[in-house]
Amino acid sequence: MSQNGMIRVEDLLRSPALQLRLIAGEAGTSRRVAWAHVSELEDPTPWLFGAEMIMTTGMAVPASAKRQRAYLERLDDAGVACLAVSEQLSVPPLTDAFLAAAAERGFPVVEVPLAVPFMAISQEVAAAVQVDTGQRLNAQLQVFGAVRWLAAGDLSTGEIFARLERLSGYSLYACTTQ
């Protein structure tokens, strides 16, 4: 796992337990992975948030070069972090157009050994996300506690913001919807 409770494609590639092999898209291995999910849909994008590692046995991967490239481009345009295909199952031969699109876009495509269950990948990603989520929740609770404490004092809004900026290390701005 990388530092700060975040996991990237490169971290998953280095995991000895997962034994993933990079097929294409090396330039994108620094992409953050927020979730790992199995999908056998040719277009799972309506159900994605971004930063997912999509894992497939290959049923989702079209056979033709044109449709393979369109599949990869759809995933990348939706913000998918990586595509993981299982070796020796239903993956059609990956075409030169598919591999070229992955290289051009820096979209990592990895191969998962047959002996490695997709659940192992999901668990590794979930463990990293859980650490990150816990750290962010703790930071938010500290800020809310500080706001409550500062608001109870006799400080102006500007003074409260200045102190919160010093505590958090962030620049803060008040916004309204009107």
Side-chain angles (χ1 to χ4, degrees), residues 6 45 62 67 73 80 82 105 122 139 141 165:
M6 185 184 336
T45 59
R67 288 182 54 213
E73 289 173 346
V80 169
C82 178
R105 289 172 166 255
S122 295
L141 290 174
E165 286 178 333

Side-chain angles (χ1 to χ4, degrees), residues 9 12 33-45 47-58 60-61 71 74-76 78-86 107-112 118 121-122 125:
V9 175
L12 295 169
V33 179
W35 197 250
H37 188 70
V38 176
S39 176
E40 300 300 346
L41 298 172
E42 192 170 329
D43 186 7
T45 59
W47 297 278
L48 302 177
F49 292 124
E52 296 91 354
M53 170 184 261
I54 296 296
M55 301 176 290
T56 180
T57 62
V61 180
Y71 171 70
R74 251 190 323 279
L75 294 178
D76 189 35
V80 169
C82 178
L83 176 66
V85 295
S86 185
F107 182 82
V109 178
V110 301
E111 185 176 68
V112 182
F118 285 165
I121 299 168
S122 295
V125 171

